[in-house]
Amino acid sequence: MAADPGELPDYAERVLDVTERIPPGRVMTYGDVAEWLEEGGPRQVGRVMALYGGAVPWWRVVRADGVLLPGEERRALEEYHAEGTPLREPTGPAARSAGHIPRVDMRRARWDGGVDGG
């Protein structure tokens, strides 16, 4: 039986719900979201975000290394700056070249899902 086209799969709804709970200025990795849900893995969460994440703060779900979503770096950086998300600026002469994109500072920005935002 096919699902109603306007209806999200249950797993997708849960992933998007977790994404909406992440406080501004904080992030979770794809794996963190899967762990929080106790279901799926980073790839499944990534697939949900790719298909349905446009309606939620997608920039708050990131790769574990803090690298910004390819092709969406500028939009993500705008959101990170607006929210005060900690970023790691490039270091060294080669890394500081024009066009280098910072990463999310995972040590400072990662949210563990706690009620206190920390």
Side-chain angles (χ1 to χ4, degrees):
M1 179 194 254
D4 180 324
E7 188 176 311
L8 288 176
D10 185 55
Y11 184 72
E13 284 187 24
R14 292 195 314 275
V15 167
L16 299 179
D17 180 59
V18 171
T19 303
E20 290 179 323
R21 292 172 185 243
I22 302 169
R26 305 302 295 274
V27 299
M28 289 180 95
T29 68
Y30 297 103
D32 291 341
V33 173
E35 187 176 324
W36 171 272
L37 294 172
E38 298 180 347
E39 182 180 358
R43 289 178 189 243
Q44 289 81 8
V45 171
R47 181 73 176 151
V48 168
M49 294 304 293
L51 293 174
Y52 309 109
V56 297
W58 54 267
W59 57 90
R60 296 182 192 156
V61 180
V62 300
R63 291 174 28 165
D65 61 4
V67 171
L68 281 60
L69 182 64
E72 299 296 336
E73 297 94 346
R74 287 181 191 245
R75 287 182 54 206
L77 279 172
E78 288 174 11
E79 298 294 346
Y80 295 142
H81 289 300
E83 294 184 354
T85 305
L87 300 172
R88 284 182 40 218
E89 295 300 328
T91 58
R96 285 193 295 261
S97 66
H100 184 80
I101 306 289
R103 296 179 182 210
V104 173
D105 184 337
M106 296 303 294
R107 185 181 54 77
R108 294 175 39 222
R110 197 172 199 167
W111 186 57
D112 66 4
V115 178
D116 64 357

